[in-house]
Amino acid sequence: MTLPSEALIRASMTAARGMADRNTPLIFNEWYVAAFGAELDRDLLKRRILGRNLVMFRTRAGIPVALDDRCAHRSFPLSAGRLDGDTLVCGYHGFRYDAQGDCIEVPSQTRCPPGIGVRKFATAERGPLVWIWMGDARRADEARIPHQPWLSSSDWARSQGYFALAASYVTLHENLMDLTHLSFLHAGSFGTADYARAPYEAKLEEGHFTLTRRVVPTRLPPVWAQPTGILGEQAARITTSEFLSPGLHQVSAKFYDQSLPADRRHEFQIRTAHIPTPESQASTHYFIVHGRDFALEQDEVTRFMHEQLFEAFQEDVVGLTALERVLAEAGPDAYEISVASDGPAVAMRRYLKQRSDAEHAAGRGVRPEGAAG
Ligand code: FES
Ligand SMILES: [Fe+2]
């Protein structure tokens, strides 16, 4: 039996203290995706984000609104009330709120006392996504929303999906930053045996971590071999995994037939926006948008790729849920050993920890629950 030396265990535990994990307080001053735009309409949508219950809807003009899901009167969930025009009427005693979260009517009296309201959160719709800012309202700068034109460009065909993940968003980010698991966790779907050993390049910048892995030559799994027609052992598969913010990770891949001369190769591109929004420290809304720049008009290709890919993403969900349970039950003497290929993920987790520490040392920057803002 080989167990790590005391010195290695101590070093691992010291390193872990500088990395975000499932116990690290969540980061509030950041844009996260609250919903797909397609989820929001004139029905009330209840959703918990960063440990806070929200009610969301669209105004008659189509503007997304997100309010605290707790009536200022006696805490009835506003999501159990009803929309009346652009106002939200509480289902308990009928207090009426406008789309700013301000109370404009108290049915039991002729005049609504001033200064009653619930917090409204800043939202911004970009392509298929509705982003939300849960932190200090004064810092909600839309210019900080990661800009990804392909998410709404007609040069890309897209499909989207969602998983309710019973695991921390930190482990999801780490999973996405680590391409070595494809050969194992995804052995039956889009992983190939040569993937884990393929050469890679990492680029680590403040808040932006990139890992590129070149698997050349290889055989493409059916999800890409079939729609691209690159069926043999001479395919090139070059994948870049990119942490763009605590709320967005993007994987881009290109494929070509490397047996063809360079000037006759057609490059096929795919992209996947992996979008983790913490529901709580131990659960995550996992939104996904997948796109391709070929066979744009072919709905059967969209269906085929969607089915195959979401089967693979389901493998991550199952794996991370199992991992979360192990960590939840692990004792204080548990430790994890990192290896060289974990470098980008470790850097990313150190960044998340620093963001969390900075925010929570300074006070969370969030107004007290229920305060208007
Ligand atoms: S709890 Fe909402 S009106 Fe009383
Ligand atoms: Fe995976």
Side-chain angles (χ1 to χ4, degrees):
M1 179 173 69
T2 306
L3 285 177
S5 64
E6 282 295 320
L8 179 54
I9 292 173
R10 264 200 309 280
S12 299
M13 291 176 111
T14 302
R17 280 197 286 279
M19 291 153 58
D21 62 19
R22 58 194 296 283
N23 297 312
T24 305
L26 299 171
I27 297 164
F28 280 74
N29 286 323
E30 189 53 72
W31 288 99
Y32 295 97
V33 168
F36 286 123
E39 291 181 278
L40 293 186
D41 55 19
R42 302 288 295 156
D43 292 325
L44 298 174
L45 175 71
K46 179 183 173 69
R47 179 152 290 162
R48 187 169 176 81
I49 295 179
L50 302 184
R52 192 158 181 153
N53 290 327
L54 305 179
V55 56
M56 288 186 277
F57 59 93
R58 279 187 196 276
T59 64
R60 285 169 300 182
I63 308 295
V65 174
L67 303 175
D68 251 331
D69 191 19
R70 187 169 79 80
C71 181
H73 180 223
R74 285 293 179 270
S75 300
F76 194 77
L78 292 175
S79 56
R82 67 180 172 85
L83 260 187
D84 180 14
D86 286 345
T87 65
L88 180 46
V89 181
C90 179
Y92 198 178
H93 312 95
F95 281 36
R96 182 185 296 267
Y97 298 88
D98 66 16
Q100 299 305 312
D102 297 330
C103 182
I104 55 169
E105 184 186 343
V106 173
S108 58
Q109 49 193 69
T110 48
R111 218 180 116 262
C112 179
I116 299 179
V118 296
R119 186 171 174 193
K120 180 189 182 188
F121 296 87
T123 54
E125 190 158 20
R126 298 280 184 279
L129 307 173
V130 176
W131 295 81
I132 191 165
W133 180 271
M134 300 285 291
D136 180 347
R138 293 161 301 187
R139 296 178 57 187
D141 176 4
E142 291 187 15
R144 286 182 52 189
I145 297 174
H147 183 53
Q148 291 300 325
W150 73 271
L151 286 169
S152 43
S153 159
S154 58
D155 295 336
W156 290 77
R158 285 170 296 273
S159 73
Q160 62 193 40
Y162 169 90
F163 293 102
L165 171 64
S168 152
Y169 84 113
V170 177
T171 52
L172 177 55
H173 268 301
E174 177 155 72
N175 164 279
L176 295 163
M177 208 68 242
D178 146 44
L179 297 173
T180 63
H181 76 272
L182 267 74
S183 303
F184 302 95
L185 193 62
H186 302 301
S189 55
F190 60 20
T192 53
D194 49 6
Y195 212 97
R197 290 180 192 280
Y200 67 91
E201 281 167 34
K203 206 165 131 201
L204 312 181
E205 295 162 341
E206 176 72 6
H208 187 186
F209 306 95
T210 308
L211 180 73
T212 300
R213 193 167 286 265
R214 300 176 59 85
V215 197
V216 187
T218 188
R219 173 184 285 277
L220 296 181
V223 59
W224 297 308
Q226 199 165 310
T228 62
I230 308 174
L231 301 171
E233 305 280 349
Q234 294 300 317
R237 177 179 182 183
I238 298 159
T239 307
T240 298
S241 183
E242 230 179 330
F243 172 98
L244 293 167
S245 83
L248 180 62
H249 186 107
Q250 186 160 289
V251 177
S252 314
K254 61 180 177 187
F255 314 111
Y256 55 85
D257 184 341
Q258 63 112 42
S259 67
L260 296 175
D263 60 345
R264 285 188 43 221
R265 287 174 190 163
H266 180 79
E267 274 187 14
F268 298 85
Q269 292 193 72
I270 58 149
R271 287 197 192 144
T272 312
H274 296 270
I275 307 162
T277 301
E279 178 187 54
S280 68
Q281 292 203 191
S283 57
T284 303
H285 301 289
Y286 183 9
F287 302 93
I288 299 171
V289 183
H290 178 264
R292 66 176 189 279
D293 75 344
F294 54 93
L296 298 184
E297 308 297 327
Q298 295 178 35
D299 292 345
E300 67 281 7
V301 172
T302 305
R303 271 194 298 278
F304 173 74
M305 289 178 72
H306 184 91
E307 274 166 26
Q308 298 259 318
L309 287 170
F310 278 76
E311 209 175 292
F313 300 147
Q314 173 77 30
E315 293 166 345
D316 291 305
V317 168
V318 170
L320 295 180
T321 303
L323 192 156
E324 180 75 28
R325 279 199 295 267
V326 172
L327 289 176
E329 292 166 1
D333 57 343
Y335 57 88
E336 292 180 327
I337 308 284
S338 297
V339 295
S341 65
D342 294 318
V346 167
M348 180 276 298
R349 284 176 60 179
R350 290 176 63 82
Y351 169 74
L352 289 179
K353 179 78 164 67
Q354 285 159 10
R355 287 278 308 265
S356 172
D357 286 352
E359 194 172 286
H360 291 274
R364 199 163 71 181
V366 178
R367 293 185 189 203
E369 188 187 358

